Amino acid sequence: MPKITFIEHDGTEHTVDGEVGLSVMRAAIDNLVPGIDADCGGECSCATCHVYVDPSWMDKVGQPSDREESMLDLNPERESNSRLSCQIPVTEDLDGLKVTVPEFQM
Amino acid sequence: MSEATNTQPEFQIQTEYVADPYTLPLEDVNPAQGVLFQNDAHWPYFERLRKEDPVHWSAESEFGPYWSVTKYQDIKYVDMNHQIFSSEGGITLADQDEDFTLPMFIAMDPPKHDEQRKVVAPVAGPRNLAALEPEIRQRVCNILDDLPRGEEFNWVKHLSIELTTQMLATLFDFPFEDRYKLTRWSDVATAPPGTGIVESEEQRRAELLECLEYFTGLWHERAKRDEPGNDLISMLAHGGSTRDMLDRPMEYLGNLILLIVGGNDTTRNSLTGGVLALNQNPAEYDKLRQDPKLIPNMVAEIIRWQTPLAHMRRRALVDTELGGKQIKAGDKVCMWYVSGNRDPEMFDDPDAFVIDRPNARSHISFGFGIHRCMGNRVGEMQLRIVWEELLKRFHKVEVTGEPERVYSSFVKGYSELPVRLIEN
Ligand code: HEM
Ligand code: FES
C-alpha cells in the first residue's frame, strides 16, 4: 500500500497507508490524522480538507479540476501548492507522498 | 412552468394553517408558509415531500410558483452546481425589492461573487478569529456574569441577541456603545413591513440609509489610518479590489447588511436552539456535563438540529432535470436545508438530538459549494465559547415556558425563550 505522510502545523508527522482508489483525505480521516474536517464527505464542496502538497510531489498529484479550483480560490490561505485532499486519488505512484496540514481549515 | 411574477403581493400575516399535510392533495402541499414555522408545524410537510415527492412543484404560494428540493443529496447537488442554479437576483423565496436592490455577493454568481468574497473572507477566517478569541471570551464572560439570577428571563434578549451583537461589533471594530444599532439594522433589513419592526418600505429604506451614513463615517476614519486593522471596514477600505467601493455606496451597504444579517439571526437562533434542545433531551445535558470535550461536536449538532436558515433559493439558468422532474430555465428552486438535515438516508434517527452524533458535521445548515457560509467559524466559535463558559458557571439553563417562534420560512428562530439559571 502506498505510504502517505501528513505533517501537522506543529511539525508532527503521521505516516499512514493509503488505499489505492480512495482519496488522500480518506487516508487521513481513516487514520485519525488531526486537522482535516472534510465536512462534505469528499465531494469538493466544503474545502475543509485543504492541504499543502510538498513541492517535489506537485507534478505527480496533477492539476486541480475547475470545480476544485473554484473552491480553493475562495480560501484566503491558499498557496500555489494548495489542494483539496479529497480530490487527490491515491495511486501506487504516490507512494511516499508528503503533504502539510494547514493550521486552520476554513 | 408559468413565469414567476416580480410583484410581491401585499404582505399579510396568515394565522390559519393545515396541521396535517397528509389531508391535502399532494400538489397543494406548500411548505413556504411562515405560519407553519411559527407553530413548529412544518415537519410533517417535509416528511411527506421527502417520501412522496422529493422534488416538488408548488404552482401557487405567497412567493409565486417554485420547486421544493427536500432530500440531502439533491440539495447538495443544487448548491454545488451554481452554473445551473444561479444566485443572481436573490437567494430567498421572496423577490428583492426592484427599486432598492442591495448588491451583495451572496446573491451573485462567479466571477463577481468570488472577487468580492475573497476580500472580506479573512475577517471571518480562523486565523483572525484565533486572534480575537480572548476578547470575545471576555465579552461572553461579562454577559454571563450579568445575567439575572434566581428569576425568569428571556434568553433570546438577554443572551442570544446581546452576544451576537457584541460579536459583530468586534468584527467591525464598531463603537461599542452604539452596538444596538447593529441589531436594529439587522431586524430592519429582514422583517417584512407591517410585522412590528418597520411600518413601511419607505421607513426601511430611510433606516438603511442611516446605516450607510454611519458606516461611511467609519470608512473615512479607517481609510486614514496607515496601519489597516483586522476589522472588516479596514479590509474593505484598504483591499485592492474594494478600495473604491465607497463610489458604489449601495454595494458597500449590501456587503455590510450581508454580514450584519448573516452573522446575527443565525447565531442568535443557534444559541437559543441549543438551550431548548438540551432541555428537551435531559440525558444529553447529563452527557455534556460529564464530558465537556463533546462541546465542538455538540455545536455542529445544535446547528444541524436548529438549521437557522430554513432555505436558500436559486433560479435555474437552463432547462434541467432533478429527481426525475423537468425544471425549466427561470424556475425558482428552493433548497430546504431544514429538510435535508432531517433526511433519514443521511442521518440515523434524524429528529433526535445527539451531541456525540458521529456525522453531525455533515449537516447542511452552512450550505455547500462556493456560497458555503463564510461565517461558519465565527458561529461555531461563539457557540463553543458560550457553552464552555456556561458549564463552568451553571448546572443548568432551565427552560421554564414555551418558546415563541418567528413567523418566517427563511429565518428559523425564536423571539422568546423563558429560562431560569440553576447554579452549580
Ligand atoms: C450558525 C450560524 C450560521 C449559519 C447556520 C449560516 C448559514 C448560512 C448559509 C446557509 C449560507 C448560504 C450557503 C449556500 O448558499 O450554500 C450562508 C452564507 C453566508 N454567511 Fe452564514 N451562517 C451562519 C453564521 C454566519 C456568520 C456569523 C456570518 C458573518 C460573520 C455569516 C456570513 C455569511 C456570508 C457572508 C455568506 C455568503 C457567502 C457566499 O455567498 O459566498 N454567516 N450562511
Ligand atoms: S471533503 Fe469537502 S472539499 Fe474535500
Side-chain angles (χ1 to χ4, degrees), chain A residues 9 36-48 52 66-67 69-78 102-106, chain B residues 72-73 76 80-83 113-115 117-118 121-122 124-127 130 361-363 366-372 376-377 380:
Chain A
H9 176 71
I36 293 190
D37 294 339
D39 290 349
C40 77
E43 291 184 54
C44 197
S45 55
C46 71
T48 64
Y52 300 110
D66 289 350
R67 185 191 291 279
E69 182 57 39
S70 68
M71 290 302 293
L72 271 177
D73 196 36
L74 295 175
N75 187 336
E77 314 230 317
R78 188 222 174 131
E103 187 175 3
F104 304 104
Q105 294 289 351
M106 291 305 285
Chain B
Y72 183 95
Q73 291 300 348
K76 199 172 183 184
M80 284 168 65
N81 286 282
H82 53 86
Q83 69 292 356
H113 162 270
D114 303 14
E115 286 161 18
R117 173 163 171 153
K118 275 195 271 186
R127 187 168 301 281
R361 289 201 61 87
S362 304
H363 69 69
F366 290 136
F368 283 114
I370 60 164
H371 289 283
R372 181 176 166 82
N376 59 346
R377 301 300 183 192
E380 287 177 348

Side-chain angles (χ1 to χ4, degrees), chain B residues 19 52 86 97 115 117 244 250 293 322-323:
Chain B
E52 296 178 23
S86 167
D97 178 355
E115 286 161 18
R117 173 163 171 153
D244 59 348
M250 286 301 123
K293 282 202 284 301
L322 183 67

Side-chain angles (χ1 to χ4, degrees), chain B residues 198-328:
Chain B
V198 286
E199 288 318 312
S200 63
E201 259 328 299
E202 290 67 45
Q203 187 194 349
R204 181 204 308 284
R205 285 178 208 185
E207 290 204 36
L208 290 179
L209 290 175
E210 272 169 39
C211 169
L212 174 62
E213 199 180 299
Y214 193 106
F215 273 99
T216 302
L218 292 182
W219 176 293
H220 289 306
E221 176 212 312
R222 307 286 152 85
K224 269 194 293 218
R225 295 188 194 160
D226 296 336
E227 278 286 304
N230 288 331
D231 64 284
L232 179 88
I233 318 297
S234 298
M235 278 181 195
L236 291 173
H238 292 267
S241 56
T242 47
R243 204 176 291 149
D244 59 348
M245 196 183 265
L246 221 45
D247 302 340
R248 303 182 299 281
M250 286 301 123
E251 193 172 308
Y252 182 40
L253 183 57
N255 273 297
L256 292 168
I257 295 295
L258 173 56
L259 266 95
I260 295 174
V261 173
N264 219 326
D265 291 317
T266 50
T267 317
R268 178 197 299 184
N269 292 318
S270 313
L271 286 164
T272 306
V275 169
L276 188 61
L278 283 167
N279 272 263
Q280 290 175 358
N281 299 273
E284 297 301 301
Y285 214 147
D286 288 339
K287 222 193 261 176
L288 172 67
R289 275 187 291 255
Q290 271 148 32
D291 188 4
K293 282 202 284 301
L294 291 174
I295 289 175
N297 200 75
M298 176 180 80
V299 164
E301 176 69 349
I302 290 174
I303 295 171
R304 181 192 75 90
W305 186 87
Q306 180 58 35
T307 318
L309 297 180
H311 77 260
M312 283 279 160
R313 192 266 288 178
R314 301 292 186 256
R315 199 183 282 282
L317 289 175
V318 291
D319 292 356
T320 188
E321 197 189 300
L322 183 67
K325 299 292 176 78
Q326 299 302 319
I327 293 178
K328 290 265 180 293

Side-chain angles (χ1 to χ4, degrees), chain B residues 63-87:
Chain B
F63 310 106
Y66 75 100
W67 291 98
S68 282
V69 184
T70 57
K71 295 207 52 103
Y72 183 95
Q73 291 300 348
D74 290 339
I75 296 168
K76 199 172 183 184
Y77 173 85
V78 172
D79 225 349
M80 284 168 65
N81 286 282
H82 53 86
Q83 69 292 356
I84 305 177
F85 301 100
S86 167
S87 298

Side-chain angles (χ1 to χ4, degrees), chain A residues 9-73:
Chain A
H9 176 71
D10 66 4
T12 313
E13 295 200 3
H14 305 260
T15 300
V16 305
D17 289 326
E19 196 167 325
V20 172
L22 298 186
S23 68
V24 169
M25 176 279 277
R26 273 263 69 93
I29 297 287
D30 293 345
N31 291 286
L32 305 176
V33 175
I36 293 190
D37 294 339
D39 290 349
C40 77
E43 291 184 54
C44 197
S45 55
C46 71
T48 64
C49 63
H50 179 210
V51 294
Y52 300 110
V53 175
D54 184 290
S56 63
W57 286 89
M58 283 302 282
D59 286 346
K60 280 222 169 103
V61 297
Q63 292 298 313
S65 65
D66 289 350
R67 185 191 291 279
E68 182 183 341
E69 182 57 39
S70 68
M71 290 302 293
L72 271 177
D73 196 36

Side-chain angles (χ1 to χ4, degrees), chain B residues 377-388:
Chain B
R377 301 300 183 192
V378 181
E380 287 177 348
M381 181 176 79
Q382 283 180 87
L383 284 161
R384 172 173 58 75
I385 296 179
V386 166
W387 281 103
E388 283 168 3

